[in-house]
């Protein structure tokens, strides 16, 4: 112990044992010194953690373009699941030498819209499940209505992948990932080192429920916009917000999104009368 040229106190830690975790050095030391009229007792504690050389990179496939698509009903996932790849790398971008014992994945703030689109089913279930849920797979345990998944790696692994199933045309959630190593637990980063730890699905602005890809394709309307215009009609809008048109409808048995730049009307008819509306 002593003092530096700047007047700050410092100590030397020597011959101190490591913690059970080999990345952690912690302990305390008490020193006594005789001073005029008594003793000076100084206790110093330390808790030093060595930064991991391993990073977890999270890569959602088609992240820039993926849009939520529902299945045929509230229990059936849509055909366009999101596949997410996980990979452990060292800080130079190479495959890590250290392997994961497991991966912990969480979906949070997930939407629970009624039904699967703005018009289906006519009577939605009383208890709505989250609109995006982890898809079951071998070696994984899923709990909390599909919002928590643990993928186990008995022999250790550097890479793995999983799927997120969609049950609503306007679904949104936030994904976080962790890798549990032998000596540490690290958080995942989106696409690259230092990327976002909270991964918005679909890719969107944090203040929006609508995917950026759809907004870019449709003139970037505001979420609550209803501004469509038509000739010789002074009243703008068709009664549907941009989010509702993005969430879409089931029409003639198929899912489709509506156009926020065009007035649209839905007609509820029986199938034999379709020919009158050709």
């Amino acid at each position: 112990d002593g003092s530096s040229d700047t007047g700050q106190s410092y100590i030397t830690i020597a011959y101190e044992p490591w913690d059970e975790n080999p990345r952690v050095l912690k302990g305390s030391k008490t020193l006594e010194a005789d001073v005029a009229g008594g003793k000076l007792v100084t206790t110093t504690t330390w808790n030093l953690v060595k930064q991991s050389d391993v990073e977890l990179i999270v890569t959602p496939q088609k992240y820039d373009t993926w849009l939520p698509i529902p299945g045929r009903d509230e229990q059936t996932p849509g055909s366009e699941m999101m596949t997410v790849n996980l990979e452990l790398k060292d800080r130079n971008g190479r495959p890590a030498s250290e392997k994961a014992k497991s991966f912990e994945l969480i979906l949070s703030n997930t939407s629970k819209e009624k039904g699967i689109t703005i018009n289906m089913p006519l009577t939605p279930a009383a208890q709505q499940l989250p609109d995006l849920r982890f898809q079951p797979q071998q070696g994984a345990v899923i709990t909390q209505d599909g919002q928590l998944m643990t993928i186990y790696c008995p022999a250790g692994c550097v890479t793995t992948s999983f799927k997120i199933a969609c049950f609503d045309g306007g679904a949104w959630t936030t994904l976080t990932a962790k890798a549990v190593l032998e000596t540490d637990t690290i958080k995942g980063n989106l696409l690259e080192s230092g990327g976002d730890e909270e991964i918005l699905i679909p890719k969107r602005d944090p203040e929006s429920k609508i995917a950026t890809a759809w907004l870019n394709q449709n003139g970037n309307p505001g979420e609550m916009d209803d501004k469509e215009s038509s000739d010789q009609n002074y009243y703008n809008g068709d009664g549907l917000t941009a989010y509702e048109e993005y969430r879409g409808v089931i029409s003639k048995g198929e899912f489709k999104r509506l156009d926020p730049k065009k007035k649209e009307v839905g007609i509820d008819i029986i199938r034999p009368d379709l020919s009158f509306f050709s």
Side-chain angles (χ1 to χ4, degrees), residues 34-48:
D34 292 325
V35 297
K39 288 187 175 182
L40 174 64
V41 179
T42 303
T43 299
T44 302
T45 61
W46 58 88
N47 187 1
L48 307 175

Side-chain angles (χ1 to χ4, degrees), residues 3 64 69 71 79 97 124-125 131 153 160 169 206 219 228 233 257 266 274:
S3 60
D64 288 340
I69 295 178
S79 58
S97 57
D131 295 330
C153 305
T160 191
E228 299 94 332
N233 188 330
R257 300 187 199 277
L274 279 176

Side-chain angles (χ1 to χ4, degrees), residues 41-66:
V41 179
T42 303
T43 299
T44 302
T45 61
W46 58 88
N47 187 1
L48 307 175
V49 180
K50 181 181 178 182
Q51 186 178 24
S52 175
D53 293 327
V54 180
E55 295 180 314
L56 174 60
I57 305 301
V58 184
T59 305
Q61 293 184 11
K62 301 179 181 179
Y63 186 57
D64 288 340
T65 59
W66 187 86

